[in-house]
Amino acid sequence: SAAPVNQVPKSVEQTLTAQHWQQSVLGQSFQLTLAGISAADFAQHLPKLQQQLLLLQHSLDGTATTSAISRFNQSGHTTDPHLLKLLQLCEHWWQQTQAYSCRLGHIRQQWHQAEQQAQLPDRVLLRQQVRQLQRLDSTAVQTQLQQQAAGSKPAAWLQIDSTGLATAILLDQLLPQVQQWWPTARQWRLQLAGITLVSGDAMHEQLPWGQMEITPTQLPLTRVRLQQQAL
């Protein structure tokens, strides 16, 4: 006999579920949520996602001694495409803003050592190093970064610090591939540390927003509704 009109076939019901998966990436919790695909479809391509995450971590994880960014900080050269992308963006933003820089890895390292030893670093030396880092020409730095032959770095103490930026680069690199692996999903939601990337036409995402200090005439902003946007 025919099924009732209002009964949803199980095959259709499965395609409308949301699949959620999480794993530690770059020392933070990575979460992926896909709406509108079946568990079988999700499981089919999950190994590709796991492999890509391993490759991206191998490029961008500054805490791993064998990563591309750690090897660059030792040699001053890299051919890793993900790391080159990160370094090029760093230099671009430094040229545009003169505020954000990835060149301060050695400075951060000195502060970390000072914290462990409970002793302030040499303030004069730090200022000298920062001024020298600021004076490095971005074009020359980018040219040096892409050289394949071994040689000296633009500065002997130039260390790349990708704190914060590596997570954004990872998500930007990952989203197109996730969309390629699961093209029938209605929504893709990727989250790593404090960054959430939402893409999809059929759904939206509401995220809590921290209330900041406001004047009595202002209304507090407590939620942000995102559609085809990244926060």
Side-chain angles (χ1 to χ4, degrees):
S1 60
V5 175
N6 61 349
Q7 181 177 342
V8 178
K10 286 192 176 296
S11 59
V12 175
E13 185 179 355
Q14 287 179 345
T15 63
L16 299 179
T17 58
Q19 306 299 327
H20 182 77
W21 182 78
Q22 66 181 43
Q23 177 177 302
S24 178
V25 177
L26 297 179
Q28 303 285 343
S29 175
F30 169 80
Q31 300 183 48
L32 171 67
T33 303
L34 303 178
I37 66 169
S38 67
D41 187 16
F42 182 73
Q44 179 182 357
H45 299 287
L46 182 58
K48 298 178 184 177
L49 171 66
Q50 294 171 310
Q51 180 64 26
Q52 187 60 26
L53 283 172
L54 285 175
L55 291 174
L56 288 167
Q57 284 197 102
H58 185 67
S59 298
L60 306 174
D61 188 357
T63 64
T65 57
T66 58
S67 68
I69 191 169
S70 294
R71 293 198 307 271
F72 166 79
N73 282 335
Q74 295 171 1
S75 68
H77 302 280
T78 184
T79 57
D80 185 281
H82 303 300
L83 181 56
L84 284 173
K85 179 68 173 178
L86 182 148
L87 297 173
Q88 289 163 2
L89 285 175
C90 282
E91 291 305 313
H92 171 73
W93 286 329
W94 171 248
Q95 286 178 314
Q96 296 296 313
T97 67
Q98 294 294 299
Y100 182 87
S101 175
C102 293
R103 304 174 180 180
L104 303 178
H106 186 61
I107 307 299
R108 179 184 289 270
Q109 207 173 61
Q110 292 180 68
W111 276 109
H112 180 65
Q113 293 172 353
E115 184 180 16
Q116 290 180 325
Q117 300 169 1
Q119 182 178 358
L120 287 174
D122 188 323
R123 186 176 301 179
V124 175
L125 179 61
L126 283 179
R127 287 176 176 171
Q128 291 175 348
Q129 292 179 352
V130 170
R131 283 196 294 267
Q132 288 176 305
L133 286 169
Q134 290 174 336
R135 286 197 294 266
L136 289 176
D137 178 69
S138 288
T139 303
V141 170
Q142 291 194 53
T143 301
Q144 183 86 17
L145 295 177
Q146 297 181 59
Q147 291 181 359
Q148 298 186 27
S152 61
K153 289 187 280 188
W157 29 260
L158 174 63
Q159 300 280 311
I160 297 300
D161 176 20
S162 62
T163 304
L165 182 61
T167 58
I169 294 289
L170 184 144
L171 291 179
D172 280 346
Q173 297 286 334
L174 196 60
L175 178 61
Q177 293 182 292
V178 169
Q179 291 174 318
Q180 179 182 351
W181 295 328
W182 293 285
T184 59
R186 297 196 312 270
Q187 184 195 39
W188 301 264
R189 183 180 187 272
L190 292 80
Q191 185 173 2
L192 179 58
I195 302 177
T196 300
L197 189 61
V198 179
S199 181
D201 295 326
M203 300 183 68
H204 68 271
E205 190 77 20
Q206 287 194 345
L207 300 173
W209 187 266
Q211 181 176 340
M212 303 177 67
E213 184 178 351
I214 57 173
T215 64
T217 58
Q218 291 177 310
L219 295 176
L221 177 63
T222 57
R223 287 191 175 273
V224 175
R225 175 168 169 158
L226 301 178
Q227 187 165 352
Q228 291 288 70
Q229 300 291 327
L231 176 62

